[in-house]
PDB file of all heavy atoms in Angstrom:
ATOM      1  N   ARG A   1       5.668   7.791  -9.135  1.00  0.00           N
ATOM      2  CA  ARG A   1       4.831   6.699  -9.381  1.00  0.00           C
ATOM      3  C   ARG A   1       4.671   5.756  -8.089  1.00  0.00           C
ATOM      4  O   ARG A   1       3.917   4.715  -8.235  1.00  0.00           O
ATOM      5  CB  ARG A   1       5.191   5.911 -10.619  1.00  0.00           C
ATOM      6  CG  ARG A   1       4.984   6.759 -11.901  1.00  0.00           C
ATOM      7  CD  ARG A   1       5.821   6.222 -12.994  1.00  0.00           C
ATOM      8  NE  ARG A   1       5.480   6.956 -14.300  1.00  0.00           N
ATOM      9  CZ  ARG A   1       6.004   8.141 -14.649  1.00  0.00           C
ATOM     10  NH1 ARG A   1       6.784   8.787 -13.835  1.00  0.00           N
ATOM     11  NH2 ARG A   1       5.632   8.724 -15.761  1.00  0.00           N
ATOM     12  N   SER A   2       5.263   6.049  -7.006  1.00  0.00           N
ATOM     13  CA  SER A   2       5.348   5.196  -5.832  1.00  0.00           C
ATOM     14  C   SER A   2       4.381   5.748  -4.749  1.00  0.00           C
ATOM     15  O   SER A   2       4.718   6.766  -4.196  1.00  0.00           O
ATOM     16  CB  SER A   2       6.744   4.974  -5.237  1.00  0.00           C
ATOM     17  OG  SER A   2       7.545   4.426  -6.231  1.00  0.00           O
ATOM     18  N   PRO A   3       3.237   5.143  -4.468  1.00  0.00           N
ATOM     19  CA  PRO A   3       2.296   5.575  -3.453  1.00  0.00           C
ATOM     20  C   PRO A   3       3.039   5.814  -2.191  1.00  0.00           C
ATOM     21  O   PRO A   3       2.633   6.774  -1.388  1.00  0.00           O
ATOM     22  CB  PRO A   3       1.197   4.568  -3.329  1.00  0.00           C
ATOM     23  CG  PRO A   3       1.187   3.866  -4.694  1.00  0.00           C
ATOM     24  CD  PRO A   3       2.638   3.928  -5.151  1.00  0.00           C
ATOM     25  N   VAL A   4       4.030   4.967  -1.779  1.00  0.00           N
ATOM     26  CA  VAL A   4       4.661   5.022  -0.469  1.00  0.00           C
ATOM     27  C   VAL A   4       5.285   6.356  -0.267  1.00  0.00           C
ATOM     28  O   VAL A   4       5.567   6.898   0.816  1.00  0.00           O
ATOM     29  CB  VAL A   4       5.634   3.925  -0.298  1.00  0.00           C
ATOM     30  CG1 VAL A   4       6.957   4.097  -1.109  1.00  0.00           C
ATOM     31  CG2 VAL A   4       6.038   3.678   1.138  1.00  0.00           C
ATOM     32  N   THR A   5       5.757   7.119  -1.330  1.00  0.00           N
ATOM     33  CA  THR A   5       6.490   8.293  -1.170  1.00  0.00           C
ATOM     34  C   THR A   5       5.653   9.464  -0.476  1.00  0.00           C
ATOM     35  O   THR A   5       6.191  10.223   0.242  1.00  0.00           O
ATOM     36  CB  THR A   5       6.815   8.843  -2.695  1.00  0.00           C
ATOM     37  OG1 THR A   5       7.556   7.825  -3.286  1.00  0.00           O
ATOM     38  CG2 THR A   5       7.684  10.086  -2.532  1.00  0.00           C
ATOM     39  N   ARG A   6       4.280   9.367  -0.754  1.00  0.00           N
ATOM     40  CA  ARG A   6       3.423  10.450  -0.223  1.00  0.00           C
ATOM     41  C   ARG A   6       2.403  10.002   0.718  1.00  0.00           C
ATOM     42  O   ARG A   6       1.327  10.685   0.987  1.00  0.00           O
ATOM     43  CB  ARG A   6       2.834  11.262  -1.388  1.00  0.00           C
ATOM     44  CG  ARG A   6       3.825  12.015  -2.199  1.00  0.00           C
ATOM     45  CD  ARG A   6       3.219  12.648  -3.454  1.00  0.00           C
ATOM     46  NE  ARG A   6       2.481  11.755  -4.359  1.00  0.00           N
ATOM     47  CZ  ARG A   6       3.166  11.040  -5.294  1.00  0.00           C
ATOM     48  NH1 ARG A   6       4.509  11.200  -5.418  1.00  0.00           N
ATOM     49  NH2 ARG A   6       2.539  10.095  -6.014  1.00  0.00           N
ATOM     50  N   LEU A   7       2.540   8.776   1.223  1.00  0.00           N
ATOM     51  CA  LEU A   7       1.483   8.185   2.139  1.00  0.00           C
ATOM     52  C   LEU A   7       1.296   8.944   3.451  1.00  0.00           C
ATOM     53  O   LEU A   7       0.123   9.023   3.907  1.00  0.00           O
ATOM     54  CB  LEU A   7       1.906   6.765   2.604  1.00  0.00           C
ATOM     55  CG  LEU A   7       1.623   5.650   1.519  1.00  0.00           C
ATOM     56  CD1 LEU A   7       2.079   4.321   2.052  1.00  0.00           C
ATOM     57  CD2 LEU A   7       0.116   5.582   1.201  1.00  0.00           C
ATOM     58  N   ALA A   8       2.234   9.769   3.854  1.00  0.00           N
ATOM     59  CA  ALA A   8       2.115  10.461   5.139  1.00  0.00           C
ATOM     60  C   ALA A   8       1.115  11.661   4.833  1.00  0.00           C
ATOM     61  O   ALA A   8       0.599  12.226   5.863  1.00  0.00           O
ATOM     62  CB  ALA A   8       3.445  11.095   5.525  1.00  0.00           C
ATOM     63  N   SER A   9       0.768  11.972   3.638  1.00  0.00           N
ATOM     64  CA  SER A   9      -0.251  13.110   3.337  1.00  0.00           C
ATOM     65  C   SER A   9      -1.693  12.575   3.542  1.00  0.00           C
ATOM     66  O   SER A   9      -2.584  13.395   3.571  1.00  0.00           O
ATOM     67  CB  SER A   9      -0.043  13.497   1.841  1.00  0.00           C
ATOM     68  OG  SER A   9      -0.459  12.571   0.952  1.00  0.00           O
ATOM     69  N   LEU A  10      -1.875  11.259   3.657  1.00  0.00           N
ATOM     70  CA  LEU A  10      -3.198  10.728   3.778  1.00  0.00           C
ATOM     71  C   LEU A  10      -3.707  10.850   5.188  1.00  0.00           C
ATOM     72  O   LEU A  10      -3.087  10.354   6.126  1.00  0.00           O
ATOM     73  CB  LEU A  10      -3.343   9.266   3.350  1.00  0.00           C
ATOM     74  CG  LEU A  10      -2.948   8.970   1.879  1.00  0.00           C
ATOM     75  CD1 LEU A  10      -3.198   7.503   1.512  1.00  0.00           C
ATOM     76  CD2 LEU A  10      -3.784   9.841   0.911  1.00  0.00           C
ATOM     77  N   ARG A  11      -4.832  11.508   5.351  1.00  0.00           N
ATOM     78  CA  ARG A  11      -5.416  11.620   6.679  1.00  0.00           C
ATOM     79  C   ARG A  11      -6.927  11.159   6.608  1.00  0.00           C
ATOM     80  O   ARG A  11      -7.817  11.673   7.217  1.00  0.00           O
ATOM     81  CB  ARG A  11      -5.484  13.081   7.065  1.00  0.00           C
ATOM     82  CG  ARG A  11      -4.027  13.638   7.226  1.00  0.00           C
ATOM     83  CD  ARG A  11      -3.936  15.195   7.573  1.00  0.00           C
ATOM     84  NE  ARG A  11      -2.665  15.655   7.609  1.00  0.00           N
ATOM     85  CZ  ARG A  11      -1.812  15.459   8.663  1.00  0.00           C
ATOM     86  NH1 ARG A  11      -2.214  14.968   9.824  1.00  0.00           N
ATOM     87  NH2 ARG A  11      -0.563  16.006   8.622  1.00  0.00           N
ATOM     88  N   ILE A  12      -7.040  10.054   5.922  1.00  0.00           N
ATOM     89  CA  ILE A  12      -8.331   9.380   5.685  1.00  0.00           C
ATOM     90  C   ILE A  12      -8.210   7.877   5.952  1.00  0.00           C
ATOM     91  O   ILE A  12      -7.121   7.321   6.065  1.00  0.00           O
ATOM     92  CB  ILE A  12      -8.843   9.521   4.255  1.00  0.00           C
ATOM     93  CG1 ILE A  12      -7.798   8.935   3.300  1.00  0.00           C
ATOM     94  CG2 ILE A  12      -9.054  11.000   3.965  1.00  0.00           C
ATOM     95  CD1 ILE A  12      -8.277   8.945   1.884  1.00  0.00           C
ATOM     96  N   PRO A  13      -9.313   7.181   6.256  1.00  0.00           N
ATOM     97  CA  PRO A  13      -9.244   5.662   6.446  1.00  0.00           C
ATOM     98  C   PRO A  13      -8.793   4.965   5.177  1.00  0.00           C
ATOM     99  O   PRO A  13      -9.348   5.170   4.095  1.00  0.00           O
ATOM    100  CB  PRO A  13     -10.676   5.412   6.841  1.00  0.00           C
ATOM    101  CG  PRO A  13     -11.303   6.622   7.248  1.00  0.00           C
ATOM    102  CD  PRO A  13     -10.716   7.738   6.431  1.00  0.00           C
ATOM    103  N   VAL A  14      -7.948   4.016   5.322  1.00  0.00           N
ATOM    104  CA  VAL A  14      -7.464   3.220   4.222  1.00  0.00           C
ATOM    105  C   VAL A  14      -7.504   1.690   4.697  1.00  0.00           C
ATOM    106  O   VAL A  14      -6.951   1.370   5.732  1.00  0.00           O
ATOM    107  CB  VAL A  14      -6.086   3.566   3.794  1.00  0.00           C
ATOM    108  CG1 VAL A  14      -5.554   2.765   2.586  1.00  0.00           C
ATOM    109  CG2 VAL A  14      -5.972   5.109   3.469  1.00  0.00           C
ATOM    110  N   MET A  15      -8.060   0.938   3.795  1.00  0.00           N
ATOM    111  CA  MET A  15      -8.069  -0.538   3.950  1.00  0.00           C
ATOM    112  C   MET A  15      -7.402  -1.162   2.745  1.00  0.00           C
ATOM    113  O   MET A  15      -7.647  -0.803   1.639  1.00  0.00           O
ATOM    114  CB  MET A  15      -9.436  -1.086   4.139  1.00  0.00           C
ATOM    115  CG  MET A  15      -9.628  -2.615   4.326  1.00  0.00           C
ATOM    116  SD  MET A  15     -11.320  -3.118   4.406  1.00  0.00           S
ATOM    117  CE  MET A  15     -11.714  -2.684   6.113  1.00  0.00           C
ATOM    118  N   TRP A  16      -6.516  -2.164   2.971  1.00  0.00           N
ATOM    119  CA  TRP A  16      -5.890  -2.887   1.843  1.00  0.00           C
ATOM    120  C   TRP A  16      -5.634  -4.335   2.178  1.00  0.00           C
ATOM    121  O   TRP A  16      -5.574  -4.718   3.337  1.00  0.00           O
ATOM    122  CB  TRP A  16      -4.650  -2.219   1.400  1.00  0.00           C
ATOM    123  CG  TRP A  16      -3.473  -2.308   2.310  1.00  0.00           C
ATOM    124  CD1 TRP A  16      -2.404  -3.129   2.135  1.00  0.00           C
ATOM    125  CD2 TRP A  16      -3.157  -1.483   3.482  1.00  0.00           C
ATOM    126  NE1 TRP A  16      -1.408  -2.860   3.151  1.00  0.00           N
ATOM    127  CE2 TRP A  16      -1.949  -1.948   3.949  1.00  0.00           C
ATOM    128  CE3 TRP A  16      -3.863  -0.460   4.132  1.00  0.00           C
ATOM    129  CZ2 TRP A  16      -1.290  -1.300   5.066  1.00  0.00           C
ATOM    130  CZ3 TRP A  16      -3.320   0.027   5.227  1.00  0.00           C
ATOM    131  CH2 TRP A  16      -2.062  -0.393   5.723  1.00  0.00           C
ATOM    132  N   GLN A  17      -5.637  -5.165   1.182  1.00  0.00           N
ATOM    133  CA  GLN A  17      -5.332  -6.534   1.348  1.00  0.00           C
ATOM    134  C   GLN A  17      -4.229  -6.922   0.374  1.00  0.00           C
ATOM    135  O   GLN A  17      -4.217  -6.611  -0.743  1.00  0.00           O
ATOM    136  CB  GLN A  17      -6.539  -7.398   1.015  1.00  0.00           C
ATOM    137  CG  GLN A  17      -6.280  -8.849   1.186  1.00  0.00           C
ATOM    138  CD  GLN A  17      -6.423  -9.709  -0.079  1.00  0.00           C
ATOM    139  OE1 GLN A  17      -7.411  -9.689  -0.751  1.00  0.00           O
ATOM    140  NE2 GLN A  17      -5.386 -10.486  -0.397  1.00  0.00           N
ATOM    141  N   GLY A  18      -3.197  -7.566   0.988  1.00  0.00           N
ATOM    142  CA  GLY A  18      -2.083  -8.050   0.141  1.00  0.00           C
ATOM    143  C   GLY A  18      -1.946  -9.643   0.348  1.00  0.00           C
ATOM    144  O   GLY A  18      -2.779 -10.309   1.029  1.00  0.00           O
ATOM    145  N   GLY A  19      -0.956 -10.221  -0.401  1.00  0.00           N
ATOM    146  CA  GLY A  19      -0.816 -11.602  -0.437  1.00  0.00           C
ATOM    147  C   GLY A  19       0.747 -11.947  -0.044  1.00  0.00           C
ATOM    148  O   GLY A  19       1.632 -11.192  -0.505  1.00  0.00           O
ATOM    149  N   TRP A  20       0.831 -12.996   0.657  1.00  0.00           N
ATOM    150  CA  TRP A  20       2.261 -13.331   1.041  1.00  0.00           C
ATOM    151  C   TRP A  20       3.061 -13.783  -0.215  1.00  0.00           C
ATOM    152  O   TRP A  20       4.320 -13.613  -0.161  1.00  0.00           O
ATOM    153  CB  TRP A  20       2.173 -14.532   2.024  1.00  0.00           C
ATOM    154  CG  TRP A  20       1.689 -14.267   3.400  1.00  0.00           C
ATOM    155  CD1 TRP A  20       0.621 -14.896   4.017  1.00  0.00           C
ATOM    156  CD2 TRP A  20       2.237 -13.327   4.333  1.00  0.00           C
ATOM    157  NE1 TRP A  20       0.495 -14.375   5.294  1.00  0.00           N
ATOM    158  CE2 TRP A  20       1.511 -13.424   5.500  1.00  0.00           C
ATOM    159  CE3 TRP A  20       3.303 -12.380   4.314  1.00  0.00           C
ATOM    160  CZ2 TRP A  20       1.675 -12.547   6.596  1.00  0.00           C
ATOM    161  CZ3 TRP A  20       3.572 -11.582   5.397  1.00  0.00           C
ATOM    162  CH2 TRP A  20       2.755 -11.671   6.575  1.00  0.00           C
ATOM    163  N   TRP A  21       2.401 -14.144  -1.221  1.00  0.00           N
ATOM    164  CA  TRP A  21       3.153 -14.521  -2.432  1.00  0.00           C
ATOM    165  C   TRP A  21       2.831 -13.546  -3.596  1.00  0.00           C
ATOM    166  O   TRP A  21       3.165 -13.803  -4.728  1.00  0.00           O
ATOM    167  CB  TRP A  21       2.717 -15.905  -2.931  1.00  0.00           C
ATOM    168  CG  TRP A  21       2.844 -16.923  -1.797  1.00  0.00           C
ATOM    169  CD1 TRP A  21       3.833 -17.053  -0.872  1.00  0.00           C
ATOM    170  CD2 TRP A  21       1.912 -18.035  -1.468  1.00  0.00           C
ATOM    171  NE1 TRP A  21       3.562 -18.082  -0.011  1.00  0.00           N
ATOM    172  CE2 TRP A  21       2.328 -18.639  -0.370  1.00  0.00           C
ATOM    173  CE3 TRP A  21       0.640 -18.355  -2.030  1.00  0.00           C
ATOM    174  CZ2 TRP A  21       1.717 -19.647   0.185  1.00  0.00           C
ATOM    175  CZ3 TRP A  21       0.022 -19.410  -1.519  1.00  0.00           C
ATOM    176  CH2 TRP A  21       0.494 -20.047  -0.327  1.00  0.00           C
ATOM    177  N   ASP A  22       2.275 -12.417  -3.282  1.00  0.00           N
ATOM    178  CA  ASP A  22       1.947 -11.410  -4.300  1.00  0.00           C
ATOM    179  C   ASP A  22       3.200 -10.889  -4.824  1.00  0.00           C
ATOM    180  O   ASP A  22       4.198 -10.796  -4.143  1.00  0.00           O
ATOM    181  CB  ASP A  22       1.023 -10.349  -3.654  1.00  0.00           C
ATOM    182  CG  ASP A  22       0.560  -9.341  -4.644  1.00  0.00           C
ATOM    183  OD1 ASP A  22       0.726  -9.502  -5.889  1.00  0.00           O
ATOM    184  OD2 ASP A  22       0.042  -8.229  -4.249  1.00  0.00           O
ATOM    185  N   ILE A  23       3.197 -10.447  -6.110  1.00  0.00           N
ATOM    186  CA  ILE A  23       4.371  -9.719  -6.608  1.00  0.00           C
ATOM    187  C   ILE A  23       4.694  -8.522  -5.852  1.00  0.00           C
ATOM    188  O   ILE A  23       5.837  -8.009  -5.780  1.00  0.00           O
ATOM    189  CB  ILE A  23       4.125  -9.443  -8.127  1.00  0.00           C
ATOM    190  CG1 ILE A  23       5.374  -8.932  -8.787  1.00  0.00           C
ATOM    191  CG2 ILE A  23       3.013  -8.433  -8.304  1.00  0.00           C
ATOM    192  CD1 ILE A  23       5.336  -8.823 -10.251  1.00  0.00           C
ATOM    193  N   PHE A  24       3.751  -7.858  -5.171  1.00  0.00           N
ATOM    194  CA  PHE A  24       3.930  -6.617  -4.417  1.00  0.00           C
ATOM    195  C   PHE A  24       4.109  -6.851  -2.955  1.00  0.00           C
ATOM    196  O   PHE A  24       4.090  -5.936  -2.122  1.00  0.00           O
ATOM    197  CB  PHE A  24       2.808  -5.626  -4.651  1.00  0.00           C
ATOM    198  CG  PHE A  24       2.516  -5.285  -6.042  1.00  0.00           C
ATOM    199  CD1 PHE A  24       1.211  -5.091  -6.467  1.00  0.00           C
ATOM    200  CD2 PHE A  24       3.554  -5.184  -6.975  1.00  0.00           C
ATOM    201  CE1 PHE A  24       0.974  -4.714  -7.784  1.00  0.00           C
ATOM    202  CE2 PHE A  24       3.306  -4.840  -8.244  1.00  0.00           C
ATOM    203  CZ  PHE A  24       2.032  -4.642  -8.696  1.00  0.00           C
ATOM    204  N   GLN A  25       4.388  -8.192  -2.540  1.00  0.00           N
ATOM    205  CA  GLN A  25       4.478  -8.507  -1.106  1.00  0.00           C
ATOM    206  C   GLN A  25       5.463  -7.653  -0.297  1.00  0.00           C
ATOM    207  O   GLN A  25       5.207  -7.322   0.817  1.00  0.00           O
ATOM    208  CB  GLN A  25       4.846 -10.030  -1.035  1.00  0.00           C
ATOM    209  CG  GLN A  25       4.989 -10.552   0.386  1.00  0.00           C
ATOM    210  CD  GLN A  25       6.286 -10.290   1.093  1.00  0.00           C
ATOM    211  OE1 GLN A  25       7.331 -10.198   0.362  1.00  0.00           O
ATOM    212  NE2 GLN A  25       6.300 -10.177   2.340  1.00  0.00           N
TER     213      GLN A  25
END
């Protein structure tokens, strides 16, 4: 259930926004 485990398989453009105080920071 962790995207980070298989991120190396992505060969496409990815954009994301996070927050310094986000629960997922």
